[in-house]
Amino acid sequence: MPRIAKLYFRTAIIFLIIGIAMGLTMAISQDHSAIGAHAHANLLGWVTMAIFGGYHALNPAKAERRIAMIQYMVYTTGVALMVPALYLMLTGNPAMEPVVAIASLITFAGVLLFAVIIFSGETAPRPATAAQ
Ligand code: HEM
Ligand code: HEM
């Protein structure tokens, strides 16, 4: 598996653990105010990151490009900032709103970079196969 795919799956599982921990906390306390942080930790974190990682595993040539690592850094920074800031905002810290806004824009930039990766063509030369 390409390095970037492994990295995405490792990051994704961390967000699933955090997301489920928030879900369990909400369920046990019967206080669902953190619902948005829980939903987005699981969906922007676990689900979307696993899809990004799966795409790279299926496209190893694209996974080796510099843009793949840049995209990972931008997207992960956005989500890693957005989830805790959203959690704090929803649990009584309205001052976190500008951080959530900036983190959301960084996350969106990461998504746009992934669109560039998806729409870019394959550039790696295919190994020649012996005609028999
Ligand atoms: C043991 C694991 C989990 C627990 C205990 C849990 C718990 C909860 C709770 C208590 C709520 C609030 C429900 C409400 O107020 O209406 C919720 C909402 C939600 N959860 Fe989870 N959750 C878990 C796993 C997941 C996973 C893995 C995902 C996604 C992959 C997920 C996605 C969502 C979403 C999208 C909502 C919002 C639904 C809505 O808008 O009505 N949850 N969860
Ligand atoms: C930067 C990206 C995103 C932003 C800024 C964003 C923003 C929002 C906002 C403002 C809400 C309404 C919350 C409320 O009513 O309190 C929401 C709800 C929701 N979003 Fe997103 N979203 C993003 C990405 C995504 C993605 C990628 C998914 C799914 C893969 C998703 C799934 C959901 C779901 C299921 C809900 C309803 C659960 C809830 O109330 O929190 N979102 N989102």
Side-chain angles (χ1 to χ4, degrees):
M1 197 193 282
R3 195 165 70 99
I4 190 85
K6 265 189 221 160
L7 204 53
Y8 255 133
F9 274 99
R10 285 177 181 172
T11 316
I13 192 68
I14 291 168
F15 278 103
L16 181 60
I17 293 166
I18 294 169
I20 289 186
M22 281 192 252
L24 289 168
T25 308
M26 285 196 296
I28 293 163
S29 66
Q30 296 188 5
D31 173 1
H32 294 183
S33 20
I35 186 168
H38 162 75
H40 291 90
N42 282 320
L43 296 171
L44 285 170
W46 170 244
V47 177
T48 305
M49 284 184 178
I51 293 171
F52 288 166
Y55 182 87
H56 282 307
L58 292 169
N59 293 276
K62 286 187 179 184
E64 298 309 322
R65 289 189 199 158
R66 222 164 81 89
I67 190 176
M69 187 52 81
I70 295 170
Q71 191 276 336
Y72 168 84
M73 296 303 293
V74 173
Y75 184 79
T76 305
T77 303
V79 180
L81 208 58
M82 185 177 162
V83 168
L86 191 54
Y87 182 85
L88 292 173
M89 189 183 96
L90 296 174
T91 53
N93 295 276
M96 292 311 287
E97 192 174 347
V99 183
V100 175
I102 291 164
S104 300
L105 293 173
I106 298 172
T107 303
F108 186 46
V111 168
L112 294 179
L113 280 174
F114 205 81
V116 172
I117 294 172
I118 288 180
F119 283 103
S120 64
E122 300 276 354
T123 49
R126 289 177 181 280
T129 46
Q132 278 183 349

